Amino acid sequence: MSFAPVYDDRSRALILGTWPSPKSREMAFYYGHPQNRFWPLLAALAGEKTPASIPEKKALGLRHGLALW
């Protein structure tokens, strides 16, 4: 099981995950379990608010040149 990659022409680094958790599969997006610290950590490193929705999560990564797969 894999999700579509998230990237654009400004992506410069790839964050490559392993098999998604059941919660991530349920949400159909990366690092979806509420206890997963990925999104809060990424937001803190970027100096931004933790994203709540999938579109906000995609935008956060893309703003900072990150691709997810």
Side-chain angles (χ1 to χ4, degrees):
M1 155 141 272
S2 180
F3 309 125
V6 176
Y7 68 98
D8 64 16
D9 59 338
R10 297 171 298 156
S11 297
R12 298 292 176 252
L14 172 64
I15 297 173
L16 184 60
T18 58
W19 191 257
S21 71
K23 189 65 172 176
S24 292
R25 291 193 306 268
E26 178 185 309
M27 295 181 69
F29 197 65
Y30 302 93
Y31 310 103
H33 195 286
Q35 292 179 344
N36 190 302
R37 301 300 300 157
F38 178 82
W39 293 109
L41 176 62
L42 185 60
L45 291 172
E48 297 195 28
K49 180 181 168 194
T50 301
S53 68
I54 290 173
E56 290 173 349
K57 291 173 180 179
K58 288 180 182 180
L60 172 64
L62 294 175
R63 268 194 307 280
H64 296 280
L66 300 175
L68 295 170
W69 198 16

